[in-house]
Amino acid sequence: MKTGISADEARRIALAAQGFASPRTSARPDRRHLRRVIAQIGLLQIDSVNVLVRSHYMPLFSRLGSYAPEMLDSSWLGAPADRELFEYWGRMASLMPFELHPLLRWRMAEAAENHKDSDTRVATLERRRPGFMRAALDEIAERGPLSAREISGAGASKGGWWGWSDGKRALEALFAAGQVAAAGRRGFERLYDLPDRVIPARVLAMPTPAIEDAQRALLRIAARALGVGTEKDLCDYFRIRIGAGRHRIRELVETGELMPVSVEGWPAPAYLERDAKSPRKLDAHALLSPFDSLVWERARTERIFGFRYRIEIYTPSAKRKYGYYVLPFLLGDRLVARVDLKSDRATRTLLVQGAHCEPGVRPSAVVEPLMRELVTMAPWLGLERIKVTRRGDLAKKLCSTRT
């Protein structure tokens, strides 16, 4: 039984688990390919930033290349018979296969119970506006699907990211508790409806597992998606509290589904998924969303790749080191560069606002594969041109090869 692995092997295991050991399909990706990727990584994290493209579209592009985003839209927002994914709190707001719905009902029940706590904002809203949440739910039942702004008496937002209106606070509380479901998006505004009008009857009829069984199942998915990880890595994938997750991890060790290992350079013990693949070499090439499951946990990214990654959207422009919306570039089994990208939709141009190689990486080794990826990305985004600035050591070489 393996008890120790090198840092290089751990990195290759992690990449293989995330779908980067296999070459992209040479055929036009179809629904089967989307299902395969989502089954492998478990979920797609949603984020509101649309500087380049909404983040949930990028992980599929990173693994499949140019696919039709409409396929993902149909799987999530299409006609009820076409839907395969639902939106809920997986790791933050996420898109997940319907089969995960029963595994998250404990979280819904927990949210409903927590709302009764007198210190919560929901309880405060109920004291200030008795019956408002019940009225909002009744209105959804009668008129849904509706956005938070369309609820009667919703009130105004108070500015800022979390300055929610009363309507938004009420519907988000009902959403967390599973009393309403995300019926879709208008722009990026969430629409709410009753679960039985969003979630298929066959899914709602699935038995609700005990919380321990559900958390074990989620940790199995996390372990397959990570390949190898610490307790914190495994629990973070679906935001399971470490205290509960630790017990479930021990149970998975007892059944042989996880194997305790030490990883060279990792300060904490790790666990290897029983069927994790360990390729000797990878030929991957991909630009990664900041919210891609390979890099979304920044401490793990630094531990595995030696790549300190911080998104600088909220950093004042003058203090940014690499740029506003920076994507890591994966080449082989390393993160070799950082590329600040923007879709200029008015001029149909993919803007490369900066490109920096990692220390010790030769720009000449990166420029051609990166440009090939940009040339693939631009038409996928509906853009016709690529414009490269000279910011960064890699950008200077990209300028001389741009098409």
Side-chain angles (χ1 to χ4, degrees):
M1 180 182 292
K2 183 174 291 191
T3 58
I5 58 178
S6 69
D8 288 345
E9 185 177 5
R11 185 172 60 255
R12 293 193 297 270
I13 289 170
L15 284 163
Q18 283 284 306
F20 289 106
S22 303
R24 292 173 176 173
T25 177
S26 57
R28 181 73 168 172
D30 57 27
R31 274 277 188 109
R32 293 169 299 168
H33 298 98
L34 266 68
R35 291 188 194 110
R36 186 193 71 209
V37 172
I38 294 170
Q40 190 159 24
I41 65 177
L43 72 167
L44 300 170
Q45 185 173 328
I46 301 170
D47 187 76
S48 63
V49 177
N50 196 21
V51 174
L52 180 68
V53 64
R54 300 284 188 201
S55 65
H56 49 281
Y57 294 104
M58 268 300 297
L60 295 167
F61 174 82
S62 300
R63 290 157 178 81
L64 297 173
S66 185
Y67 75 99
E70 295 79 14
M71 282 195 294
L72 179 58
D73 291 339
S74 177
S75 296
W76 170 34
L77 305 170
D82 293 332
R83 294 189 183 189
E84 300 178 13
L85 306 174
F86 75 105
E87 179 183 344
Y88 188 63
W89 299 108
R91 188 192 190 274
M92 309 299 287
S94 305
L95 298 179
M96 296 167 282
F98 279 129
E99 286 65 32
L100 269 63
H101 188 274
L103 304 182
L104 293 163
R105 290 176 191 162
W106 62 272
R107 180 165 289 163
M108 299 174 189
E110 195 174 76
E113 190 62 30
N114 288 344
H115 294 160
K116 299 175 185 177
D117 189 319
S118 61
D119 293 332
T120 65
R121 292 179 179 178
V122 175
T124 301
L125 174 61
E126 281 286 77
R127 287 195 298 270
R128 183 164 53 82
R129 298 187 66 177
F132 178 68
M133 283 183 60
R134 179 71 248 181
L137 183 57
D138 290 344
E139 188 170 2
I140 290 287
E142 181 181 350
R143 298 177 54 215
L146 299 174
S147 70
R149 290 187 296 115
E150 293 169 321
I151 292 294
S152 299
S157 63
K158 299 172 178 62
W161 188 249
W162 297 108
W164 287 352
S165 68
D166 288 348
K168 177 68 170 175
R169 196 170 303 286
L171 291 185
E172 281 298 305
L174 293 167
F175 174 65
Q179 293 176 265
V180 298
R185 297 270 180 166
R186 185 183 295 125
F188 199 70
E189 188 176 32
R190 184 181 282 150
L191 302 178
Y192 306 83
D193 206 346
L194 298 182
D196 59 8
R197 299 201 291 236
V198 176
I199 310 298
R202 65 170 182 85
V203 176
L204 294 176
M206 291 177 180
T208 300
I211 183 171
E212 296 84 1
D213 295 335
Q215 290 178 343
R216 265 194 304 274
L218 291 172
L219 286 165
R220 285 190 189 99
I221 296 168
R224 287 197 299 270
L226 294 173
V228 61
T230 63
E231 283 183 348
K232 185 176 180 182
D233 293 339
L234 292 164
C235 291
D236 175 76
Y237 210 80
F238 284 97
R239 293 293 170 94
I240 295 172
R241 285 187 290 271
I242 192 76
R246 181 174 292 126
H247 292 296
R248 307 291 81 82
I249 289 169
R250 289 173 183 168
E251 291 160 0
L252 293 174
V253 170
E254 290 172 4
T255 61
E257 296 170 80
L258 294 179
M259 294 183 291
V261 293
S262 61
V263 179
E264 176 190 9
W266 289 24
Y271 298 88
L272 180 67
E273 202 272 332
R274 177 174 54 195
D275 299 320
K277 302 294 188 291
S278 179
R280 296 182 65 180
K281 184 180 179 181
L282 288 96
D283 189 29
H285 50 93
L287 285 158
L288 303 168
S289 158
F291 307 102
D292 191 292
S293 47
L294 180 65
V295 296
W296 65 26
E297 213 299 299
R298 308 307 190 210
R300 176 179 167 86
T301 301
E302 188 166 355
R303 187 182 345 120
I304 291 180
F305 295 101
F307 187 93
R308 190 174 189 276
Y309 185 35
R310 301 292 185 272
I311 192 164
E312 297 181 282
I313 289 173
Y314 305 109
T315 302
S317 178
K319 295 184 178 181
R320 290 182 195 135
K321 186 174 181 180
Y322 297 108
Y324 183 82
Y325 196 72
V326 174
L327 283 70
F329 182 54
L330 171 68
L331 185 62
D333 66 351
R334 302 278 182 170
L335 297 179
V336 298
R338 304 166 193 253
V339 191
D340 183 18
L341 295 177
K342 178 179 180 179
S343 293
D344 186 338
R345 298 174 180 92
T347 64
R348 301 177 70 84
T349 303
L350 176 59
L351 301 178
V352 183
Q353 302 185 120
H356 300 79
C357 270
E358 286 298 282
V361 176
R362 291 181 295 107
S364 59
V366 177
V367 63
E368 287 189 11
L370 175 56
M371 182 53 77
R372 285 198 300 270
E373 195 71 358
L374 294 170
V375 168
T376 301
M377 175 181 278
W380 175 68
L381 294 171
L383 306 176
E384 299 174 349
R385 291 172 291 279
I386 299 170
K387 181 179 179 181
V388 185
T389 73
R390 291 184 174 273
R391 186 168 178 266
D393 55 350
L394 182 55
K396 296 171 185 176
K397 289 190 173 294
L398 282 174
C399 284
S400 64
T401 62
R402 69 181 185 270
T403 59

